[in-house]
Amino acid sequence: MARIKRNVTISITIEEAVDQYLLYCKNKNLSEVTLDTYTRHLKWLYIYLETKPIDTVTLEELEDMLDRFKQEHQYSIRSENNFRRYLN
């Protein structure tokens, strides 16, 4: 069977990427609670990256965003680690 190739040269916004990821998770039959958690954490990316194309986001910007996330919210280490995983 032929594999579907992804076109990595397409530039999409963070909102489009998050929406695609959440659809992927939904299609994997993840629980609604898990999807809600992912949605809350990933929607936070919108605030900091807004309509910026993903291919222009730097590692420094992501680290700065995570630092602000930690300063503004009193989340557990587990939540912080989850958020880091979402960024990878």
Side-chain angles (χ1 to χ4, degrees):
M1 175 182 278
R3 289 184 152 275
I4 297 173
K5 294 183 181 178
R6 295 181 188 221
N7 186 349
V8 295
T9 60
I10 294 175
S11 182
I12 62 174
T13 65
I14 190 65
E15 183 176 11
E16 293 166 329
V18 168
D19 289 343
Q20 287 179 12
Y21 178 70
L22 291 173
L23 179 62
Y24 166 77
C25 291
K26 186 175 183 178
N27 289 334
K28 284 179 48 177
N29 292 322
L30 296 181
S31 74
E32 284 300 317
V33 172
T34 299
L35 291 173
D36 288 343
T37 301
Y38 286 2
T39 300
R40 271 195 326 273
H41 285 127
L42 292 170
K43 297 280 183 184
W44 205 76
L45 291 172
Y46 296 166
I47 296 169
Y48 291 100
L49 300 178
E50 297 182 18
T51 59
K52 187 173 186 159
I54 291 173
D55 60 351
T56 64
V57 176
T58 66
L59 183 58
E60 287 176 347
E61 288 173 312
L62 292 175
E63 288 296 331
D64 181 54
M65 184 183 64
L66 183 60
D67 186 51
R68 285 185 277 167
F69 176 79
K70 290 189 304 189
Q71 290 176 11
E72 294 174 12
H73 303 278
Q74 296 298 319
Y75 287 114
S76 67
I77 294 295
R78 182 177 181 189
S79 291
E80 181 184 330
N81 289 337
N82 286 339
F83 194 72
R84 259 189 198 282
R85 275 196 302 279
Y86 302 151
L87 295 177
N88 290 330

